Amino acid sequence: MEQEPNIIKTKKHIAVLISSCLLMASSVKLCMNSVGIFYSPIAEDMGIGRGDIAIQSTLSGNATGLISPFVVKSFQRFNVRLCACSGVIPIPS
């Protein structure tokens, strides 16, 4: 029983999609986990525990995940430049 060409193409598309997702996830994971090598030097320099630095990183990642859908909606509703500038303004303060 021979498979149809469309089914073979669909399987290839799914394989490309899955591999792309895995590559993206691994690159994001690498960036998020590489922060951990700086916990000890920062904690020693500031005179606080490594757990305090780690919880900040965890809270920052969770806040980013929770706020991301709202940022996308604001980009769709308002001017992209206005949204980007409003995100940069709080940084110096």
Side-chain angles (χ1 to χ4, degrees):
M1 183 178 223
E2 201 172 309
Q3 291 183 343
E4 295 179 20
N6 289 340
I7 294 174
I8 294 172
K9 280 186 177 180
T10 303
K11 287 183 179 180
K12 287 182 181 179
H13 289 122
I14 290 173
V16 168
L17 177 67
I18 290 171
S19 61
S20 298
C21 290
L22 290 174
L23 286 171
M24 183 64 184
S26 66
S27 67
V28 169
K29 191 70 171 171
L30 180 65
C31 292
M32 294 299 289
N33 285 339
S34 64
V35 172
I37 62 173
F38 299 108
Y39 288 170
S40 295
I42 291 172
E44 290 173 7
D45 193 40
M46 297 179 76
I48 57 177
R50 287 187 332 194
D52 296 332
I53 304 295
I55 195 72
Q56 181 276 334
S57 179
T58 301
L59 292 175
S60 175
N62 290 341
T64 302
L66 291 174
I67 291 173
S68 293
F70 300 110
V71 172
V72 171
K73 285 292 185 184
S74 67
F75 278 0
Q76 292 172 349
R77 182 176 289 173
F78 303 111
N79 185 0
V80 174
R81 289 183 181 177
L82 177 67
C83 294
C85 289
S86 67
V88 172
I89 290 171
I91 291 175
S93 59

